[in-house]
Amino acid sequence: MNKEKKKSTLVEQHALKRLEKVEENQRKAYEKKQNDFPWKQITMGLLFGIILLLMLIQMIVK
């Protein structure tokens, strides 16, 4: 019985270590990455500006 208890505890220890590694890897995946340049904001701003410009041109041409 002692051997069975030791084996289960070793298995449990191994499982807990593996679980800690998996949780650590998952936490890394959710960390916010630093973007040096706000490409999304600039792209959205340009699209908004183009749409406004087209609307103004359409109003003037009529």
Side-chain angles (χ1 to χ4, degrees):
M1 287 202 156
N2 285 340
K3 290 181 181 179
E4 291 177 8
K5 287 183 181 178
K6 286 183 182 179
K7 286 183 182 177
S8 65
T9 57
L10 289 176
V11 170
E12 289 173 359
Q13 289 174 359
H14 178 71
L16 289 173
K17 285 181 184 177
R18 181 68 182 137
L19 181 63
E20 287 176 13
K21 287 181 183 179
V22 169
E23 288 177 348
E24 183 179 333
N25 288 339
Q26 287 180 349
R27 274 186 257 127
K28 286 181 183 177
Y30 292 111
E31 289 178 1
K32 188 173 182 179
K33 296 179 181 177
Q34 295 285 338
N35 266 349
D36 293 337
F37 202 69
W39 291 106
K40 289 181 183 178
Q41 291 177 349
I42 291 174
T43 305
M44 292 302 288
L46 286 173
L47 287 174
F48 183 69
I50 291 170
I51 291 170
L52 283 178
L53 184 64
L54 290 173
M55 288 174 63
L56 289 173
I57 291 172
Q58 184 181 10
M59 289 173 65
I60 293 171
V61 171
K62 273 188 172 179

Coordinates of all heavy atoms in Angstrom, one line a residue:
M1 N 0.8 -1.2 0.0 CA 0.0 0.0 0.0 C 0.9 1.3 0.0 O 0.5 2.2 -0.6 CB -0.9 0.0 1.2 CG -2.1 -0.9 1.1 SD -3.3 -0.4 2.2 CE -4.7 -1.1 1.5
N2 N 2.0 1.2 0.7 CA 2.8 2.4 0.7 C 3.3 2.7 -0.7 O 3.5 3.9 -1.1 CB 4.0 2.2 1.6 CG 3.6 2.3 3.1 OD1 2.6 2.8 3.4 ND2 4.4 1.7 4.0
K3 N 3.6 1.7 -1.5 CA 4.1 1.9 -2.9 C 3.0 2.6 -3.7 O 3.3 3.5 -4.5 CB 4.5 0.6 -3.5 CG 5.8 0.0 -2.9 CD 6.2 -1.2 -3.6 CE 7.5 -1.8 -3.0 NZ 7.9 -3.1 -3.7
E4 N 1.8 2.1 -3.5 CA 0.7 2.7 -4.3 C 0.5 4.2 -3.9 O 0.2 5.1 -4.7 CB -0.6 2.0 -4.0 CG -0.6 0.6 -4.7 CD -1.9 -0.2 -4.3 OE1 -2.8 0.4 -3.8 OE2 -1.9 -1.4 -4.7
K5 N 0.6 4.5 -2.6 CA 0.5 5.9 -2.1 C 1.6 6.8 -2.7 O 1.3 7.9 -3.1 CB 0.4 5.9 -0.6 CG -0.8 5.4 0.0 CD -0.8 5.6 1.5 CE -2.1 5.0 2.1 NZ -2.1 5.1 3.6
K6 N 2.8 6.2 -2.7 CA 3.9 7.0 -3.2 C 3.8 7.2 -4.7 O 4.0 8.3 -5.2 CB 5.2 6.3 -2.9 CG 5.7 6.4 -1.5 CD 7.0 5.7 -1.2 CE 7.4 5.7 0.2 NZ 8.7 5.1 0.5
K7 N 3.3 6.2 -5.4 CA 3.1 6.4 -6.9 C 2.1 7.4 -7.1 O 2.2 8.3 -8.0 CB 2.7 5.1 -7.5 CG 3.9 4.1 -7.6 CD 3.5 2.8 -8.3 CE 4.6 1.8 -8.4 NZ 4.2 0.6 -9.0
S8 N 1.0 7.4 -6.4 CA -0.1 8.3 -6.6 C 0.4 9.7 -6.3 O 0.0 10.7 -7.0 CB -1.4 8.0 -5.9 OG -1.1 8.1 -4.5
T9 N 1.2 9.9 -5.2 CA 1.6 11.2 -4.9 C 2.6 11.7 -5.9 O 2.6 12.9 -6.3 CB 2.3 11.2 -3.5 OG1 3.3 10.3 -3.5 CG2 1.3 10.9 -2.4
L10 N 3.5 10.8 -6.5 CA 4.4 11.2 -7.5 C 3.6 11.6 -8.8 O 3.9 12.6 -9.4 CB 5.4 10.1 -7.9 CG 6.4 9.9 -6.8 CD1 7.3 8.7 -7.2 CD2 7.3 11.1 -6.6
V11 N 2.6 10.9 -9.1 CA 1.7 11.2 -10.2 C 1.0 12.5 -10.0 O 1.0 13.4 -10.9 CB 0.7 10.1 -10.5 CG1 -0.3 10.5 -11.5 CG2 1.4 8.8 -10.9
E12 N 0.5 12.7 -8.8 CA -0.1 14.0 -8.5 C 0.8 15.2 -8.6 O 0.5 16.2 -9.1 CB -0.7 13.9 -7.1 CG -2.0 13.0 -7.0 CD -2.4 12.8 -5.6 OE1 -1.8 13.4 -4.6 OE2 -3.4 12.1 -5.4
Q13 N 2.0 15.0 -8.1 CA 3.0 16.0 -8.1 C 3.4 16.4 -9.6 O 3.5 17.6 -10.0 CB 4.3 15.6 -7.4 CG 4.2 15.6 -5.9 CD 5.4 15.0 -5.2 OE1 6.4 14.7 -5.9 NE2 5.4 15.0 -3.9
H14 N 3.5 15.4 -10.4 CA 3.8 15.6 -11.8 C 2.7 16.3 -12.5 O 2.9 17.2 -13.3 CB 4.1 14.3 -12.5 CG 4.4 14.4 -14.0 ND1 5.5 15.0 -14.4 CD2 3.7 14.1 -15.1 CE1 5.5 15.0 -15.8 NE2 4.4 14.5 -16.2
A15 N 1.4 15.9 -12.2 CA 0.3 16.5 -12.8 C 0.2 18.0 -12.3 O -0.2 18.8 -13.1 CB -1.0 15.7 -12.3
L16 N 0.5 18.2 -11.1 CA 0.4 19.6 -10.6 C 1.5 20.5 -11.3 O 1.2 21.7 -11.6 CB 0.6 19.7 -9.1 CG -0.6 19.2 -8.3 CD1 -0.3 19.1 -6.8 CD2 -1.9 20.0 -8.5
K17 N 2.7 20.0 -11.5 CA 3.7 20.7 -12.1 C 3.3 21.0 -13.6 O 3.5 22.1 -14.1 CB 5.0 19.9 -12.1 CG 5.7 20.0 -10.8 CD 7.0 19.2 -10.8 CE 7.7 19.1 -9.4 NZ 8.9 18.3 -9.5
R18 N 2.7 20.0 -14.2 CA 2.3 20.2 -15.6 C 1.2 21.2 -15.7 O 1.2 22.0 -16.6 CB 1.8 18.8 -16.2 CG 1.4 18.9 -17.6 CD 2.5 19.1 -18.5 NE 2.0 19.2 -19.9 CZ 2.4 20.1 -20.8 NH1 3.4 21.0 -20.5 NH2 1.9 20.2 -22.0
L19 N 0.3 21.2 -14.8 CA -0.8 22.1 -14.7 C -0.3 23.5 -14.5 O -0.8 24.5 -15.2 CB -1.8 21.8 -13.6 CG -3.0 22.6 -13.5 CD1 -3.9 22.6 -14.7 CD2 -3.8 22.2 -12.2
E20 N 0.7 23.7 -13.7 CA 1.3 25.0 -13.5 C 1.9 25.5 -14.7 O 1.8 26.7 -15.1 CB 2.3 25.0 -12.4 CG 1.7 24.8 -11.0 CD 2.8 24.7 -9.9 OE1 4.0 24.9 -10.2 OE2 2.5 24.3 -8.8
K21 N 2.6 24.7 -15.5 CA 3.2 25.1 -16.7 C 2.2 25.5 -17.8 O 2.3 26.5 -18.5 CB 4.1 24.0 -17.3 CG 5.4 23.7 -16.6 CD 6.2 22.6 -17.2 CE 7.4 22.3 -16.4 NZ 8.2 21.3 -17.0
V22 N 1.1 24.7 -17.8 CA 0.0 25.0 -18.8 C -0.6 26.4 -18.4 O -0.9 27.2 -19.3 CB -1.0 23.9 -18.8 CG1 -2.3 24.3 -19.6 CG2 -0.4 22.6 -19.4
E23 N -0.9 26.6 -17.2 CA -1.5 27.8 -16.7 C -0.6 29.0 -17.0 O -1.0 30.1 -17.4 CB -1.9 27.8 -15.3 CG -3.1 26.9 -15.0 CD -3.4 26.8 -13.5 OE1 -2.5 27.2 -12.7 OE2 -4.5 26.2 -13.2
E24 N 0.7 28.8 -16.8 CA 1.6 29.9 -17.1 C 1.7 30.2 -18.6 O 1.7 31.4 -18.9 CB 3.0 29.5 -16.6 CG 4.1 30.5 -16.8 CD 5.5 30.1 -16.3 OE1 5.5 29.2 -15.4 OE2 6.5 30.6 -16.8
N25 N 1.6 29.2 -19.4 CA 1.6 29.5 -20.9 C 0.4 30.2 -21.3 O 0.4 31.0 -22.1 CB 1.8 28.1 -21.6 CG 3.2 27.6 -21.5 OD1 4.1 28.3 -21.2 ND2 3.3 26.3 -21.7
Q26 N -0.8 29.8 -20.7 CA -2.0 30.5 -21.0 C -2.0 31.9 -20.5 O -2.5 32.8 -21.2 CB -3.2 29.7 -20.4 CG -3.5 28.4 -21.1 CD -4.7 27.7 -20.4 OE1 -5.1 28.1 -19.4 NE2 -5.2 26.7 -21.1
R27 N -1.4 32.2 -19.4 CA -1.3 33.6 -18.9 C -0.5 34.4 -19.9 O -0.8 35.6 -20.2 CB -0.7 33.6 -17.5 CG -1.8 33.5 -16.5 CD -1.2 33.7 -15.1 NE -1.1 32.3 -14.5 CZ 0.0 31.8 -14.0 NH1 1.1 32.6 -13.9 NH2 0.1 30.6 -13.5
K28 N 0.6 33.8 -20.4 CA 1.5 34.5 -21.3 C 0.7 34.9 -22.6 O 0.9 36.0 -23.2 CB 2.7 33.7 -21.7 CG 3.7 33.6 -20.6 CD 4.9 32.8 -21.1 CE 5.9 32.6 -20.0 NZ 7.0 31.7 -20.4
A29 N -0.2 34.0 -23.0 CA -1.0 34.3 -24.3 C -1.9 35.5 -24.1 O -2.2 36.2 -25.1 CB -1.7 33.1 -24.7
Y30 N -2.4 35.7 -22.9 CA -3.3 36.8 -22.7 C -2.7 38.1 -22.3 O -3.4 39.1 -22.1 CB -4.3 36.4 -21.6 CG -5.2 35.3 -22.1 CD1 -5.2 34.0 -21.6 CD2 -6.1 35.5 -23.1 CE1 -6.0 33.0 -22.0 CE2 -7.0 34.5 -23.6 CZ -6.9 33.3 -23.0 OH -7.7 32.3 -23.5
E31 N -1.4 38.2 -22.1 CA -0.7 39.4 -21.8 C -0.8 40.3 -23.0 O -0.7 40.0 -24.1 CB 0.8 39.2 -21.5 CG 1.0 38.5 -20.1 CD 2.4 38.2 -19.8 OE1 3.3 38.6 -20.7 OE2 2.7 37.6 -18.8
K32 N -1.1 41.6 -22.7 CA -1.2 42.6 -23.7 C 0.2 42.9 -24.3 O 1.1 43.2 -23.6 CB -1.8 43.9 -23.2 CG -2.2 44.9 -24.3 CD -3.0 46.0 -23.7 CE -3.3 47.0 -24.8 NZ -4.1 48.1 -24.3
K33 N 0.2 42.8 -25.6 CA 1.5 43.1 -26.3 C 1.6 44.6 -26.6 O 0.6 45.3 -26.9 CB 1.5 42.3 -27.7 CG 1.5 40.8 -27.4 CD 1.5 40.1 -28.8 CE 1.5 38.6 -28.5 NZ 1.4 37.9 -29.8
Q34 N 2.8 45.1 -26.5 CA 3.1 46.5 -26.7 C 3.2 46.8 -28.2 O 4.0 46.2 -28.9 CB 4.4 46.9 -26.0 CG 4.3 46.8 -24.5 CD 3.6 47.9 -23.9 OE1 3.4 49.0 -24.5 NE2 3.1 47.7 -22.7
N35 N 2.3 47.7 -28.7 CA 2.4 48.1 -30.1 C 3.2 49.5 -30.1 O 2.8 50.4 -29.3 CB 1.1 48.3 -30.7 CG 0.6 47.0 -31.4 OD1 1.4 46.1 -31.7 ND2 -0.6 47.0 -31.8
D36 N 4.2 49.6 -30.9 CA 4.9 50.8 -31.0 C 4.1 51.9 -31.7 O 4.2 53.1 -31.4 CB 6.3 50.6 -31.6 CG 7.2 49.7 -30.8 OD1 7.0 49.6 -29.6 OD2 8.1 49.1 -31.4
F37 N 3.4 51.5 -32.7 CA 2.7 52.5 -33.6 C 1.3 52.1 -33.7 O 0.9 51.0 -34.0 CB 3.4 52.5 -34.9 CG 3.2 53.8 -35.7 CD1 3.7 54.9 -35.3 CD2 2.4 53.8 -36.8 CE1 3.5 56.1 -36.0 CE2 2.2 54.9 -37.5 CZ 2.7 56.1 -37.1
P38 N 0.3 53.0 -33.5 CA -1.1 52.7 -33.5 C -1.7 52.6 -34.9 O -2.4 53.5 -35.4 CB -1.7 53.9 -32.7 CG -0.8 55.0 -32.9 CD 0.6 54.4 -33.0
W39 N -1.4 51.5 -35.6 CA -1.8 51.4 -37.0 C -3.3 51.3 -37.1 O -3.9 51.9 -38.1 CB -1.2 50.1 -37.6 CG 0.3 50.2 -37.8 CD1 1.2 49.5 -37.0 CD2 1.0 50.9 -38.8 NE1 2.5 49.9 -37.5 CE2 2.3 50.7 -38.6 CE3 0.6 51.7 -39.8 CZ2 3.3 51.3 -39.4 CZ3 1.5 52.3 -40.6 CH2 2.9 52.1 -40.4
K40 N -4.0 50.7 -36.2 CA -5.4 50.6 -36.3 C -6.1 52.0 -36.2 O -7.0 52.3 -37.0 CB -6.0 49.7 -35.2 CG -5.7 48.2 -35.4 CD -6.3 47.4 -34.3 CE -5.9 46.0 -34.4 NZ -6.4 45.1 -33.4
Q41 N -5.6 52.8 -35.3 CA -6.2 54.1 -35.1 C -6.0 55.0 -36.4 O -6.9 55.7 -36.8 CB -5.7 54.8 -33.9 CG -6.1 54.1 -32.6 CD -5.5 54.8 -31.4 OE1 -4.6 55.6 -31.5 NE2 -6.0 54.4 -30.2
I42 N -4.8 54.9 -36.9 CA -4.5 55.7 -38.1 C -5.3 55.3 -39.3 O -5.9 56.1 -40.0 CB -3.0 55.6 -38.4 CG1 -2.2 56.4 -37.3 CG2 -2.7 56.2 -39.8 CD1 -0.7 56.3 -37.4
T43 N -5.4 54.0 -39.5 CA -6.2 53.4 -40.6 C -7.7 53.8 -40.4 O -8.3 54.3 -41.4 CB -6.1 51.9 -40.6 OG1 -4.8 51.5 -40.7 CG2 -6.9 51.3 -41.8
M44 N -8.2 53.7 -39.2 CA -9.6 54.1 -39.0 C -9.8 55.6 -39.3 O -10.8 56.1 -39.8 CB -10.1 53.7 -37.6 CG -10.2 52.2 -37.4 SD -11.3 51.4 -38.6 CE -12.9 52.0 -37.9
G45 N -8.9 56.4 -38.8 CA -8.9 57.9 -39.0 C -8.9 58.2 -40.5 O -9.6 59.1 -41.0
L46 N -8.0 57.6 -41.3 CA -8.0 57.8 -42.7 C -9.3 57.4 -43.4 O -9.8 58.1 -44.3 CB -6.8 57.0 -43.3 CG -5.4 57.6 -43.0 CD1 -4.3 56.7 -43.6 CD2 -5.2 59.0 -43.7
L47 N -9.8 56.3 -43.0 CA -11.1 55.9 -43.6 C -12.2 56.8 -43.3 O -13.0 57.2 -44.2 CB -11.5 54.5 -43.2 CG -10.7 53.3 -43.7 CD1 -11.0 52.0 -43.1 CD2 -10.9 53.2 -45.2
F48 N -12.2 57.3 -42.1 CA -13.2 58.3 -41.7 C -13.1 59.6 -42.5 O -14.0 60.2 -42.9 CB -13.1 58.5 -40.2 CG -14.2 59.5 -39.6 CD1 -15.5 59.1 -39.6 CD2 -13.8 60.7 -39.2 CE1 -16.4 60.0 -39.1 CE2 -14.7 61.6 -38.7 CZ -16.1 61.2 -38.6
G49 N -11.8 60.0 -42.6 CA -11.6 61.2 -43.4 C -12.0 61.1 -44.8 O -12.5 62.0 -45.4
I50 N -11.7 60.0 -45.4 CA -12.0 59.7 -46.8 C -13.6 59.8 -47.0 O -14.1 60.4 -47.9 CB -11.4 58.4 -47.4 CG1 -9.9 58.6 -47.5 CG2 -12.0 58.0 -48.7 CD1 -9.2 57.2 -47.7
I51 N -14.3 59.1 -46.1 CA -15.7 59.1 -46.2 C -16.3 60.5 -46.0 O -17.2 60.9 -46.8 CB -16.3 58.1 -45.1 CG1 -16.0 56.7 -45.5 CG2 -17.8 58.3 -45.0 CD1 -16.3 55.7 -44.4
L52 N -15.8 61.3 -45.1 CA -16.2 62.6 -44.9 C -15.9 63.5 -46.1 O -16.8 64.3 -46.6 CB -15.6 63.3 -43.7 CG -16.1 62.9 -42.3 CD1 -15.3 63.6 -41.2 CD2 -17.6 63.3 -42.2
L53 N -14.8 63.3 -46.7 CA -14.4 64.0 -47.9 C -15.3 63.7 -49.1 O -15.8 64.6 -49.8 CB -12.9 63.7 -48.3 CG -12.3 64.5 -49.5 CD1 -12.3 66.0 -49.1 CD2 -11.0 64.0 -49.8
L54 N -15.6 62.4 -49.2 CA -16.6 62.0 -50.3 C -17.9 62.6 -50.1 O -18.6 63.0 -51.1 CB -16.6 60.5 -50.4 CG -15.3 59.8 -51.0 CD1 -15.5 58.3 -50.8 CD2 -15.1 60.2 -52.4
M55 N -18.4 62.6 -48.9 CA -19.7 63.2 -48.6 C -19.7 64.7 -48.9 O -20.7 65.2 -49.5 CB -20.1 62.9 -47.1 CG -20.4 61.5 -46.8 SD -20.7 61.2 -45.0 CE -22.1 62.2 -44.7
L56 N -18.7 65.4 -48.5 CA -18.6 66.8 -48.8 C -18.6 67.1 -50.3 O -19.2 68.0 -50.8 CB -17.4 67.5 -48.1 CG -17.5 67.6 -46.6 CD1 -16.1 68.1 -46.0 CD2 -18.6 68.6 -46.2
I57 N -17.8 66.3 -51.0 CA -17.7 66.5 -52.5 C -19.1 66.2 -53.1 O -19.5 66.9 -54.0 CB -16.6 65.5 -53.1 CG1 -15.3 66.0 -52.6 CG2 -16.8 65.4 -54.6 CD1 -14.1 65.1 -53.0
Q58 N -19.8 65.2 -52.6 CA -21.1 64.9 -53.2 C -22.1 66.0 -52.9 O -22.9 66.3 -53.8 CB -21.6 63.6 -52.6 CG -23.0 63.1 -53.1 CD -23.4 61.8 -52.5 OE1 -22.9 61.4 -51.5 NE2 -24.5 61.3 -53.0
M59 N -22.0 66.6 -51.7 CA -22.9 67.7 -51.4 C -22.6 69.0 -52.3 O -23.5 69.7 -52.7 CB -22.8 68.1 -49.9 CG -23.4 67.1 -49.0 SD -23.1 67.4 -47.3 CE -24.0 68.9 -47.0
I60 N -21.3 69.2 -52.6 CA -20.9 70.4 -53.4 C -21.3 70.2 -54.8 O -21.8 71.1 -55.5 CB -19.4 70.6 -53.2 CG1 -19.1 71.1 -51.8 CG2 -18.9 71.7 -54.2 CD1 -17.7 71.2 -51.4
V61 N -21.1 69.0 -55.4 CA -21.3 68.7 -56.8 C -22.8 68.8 -57.1 O -23.2 69.2 -58.2 CB -20.8 67.3 -57.2 CG1 -21.2 66.9 -58.5 CG2 -19.3 67.4 -57.0
K62 N -23.7 68.4 -56.2 CA -25.1 68.5 -56.5 C -25.5 69.9 -56.7 O -26.1 70.6 -57.1 CB -25.9 67.9 -55.3 CG -26.1 66.5 -55.4 CD -27.1 66.1 -54.3 CE -27.5 64.6 -54.4 NZ -28.4 64.2 -53.4

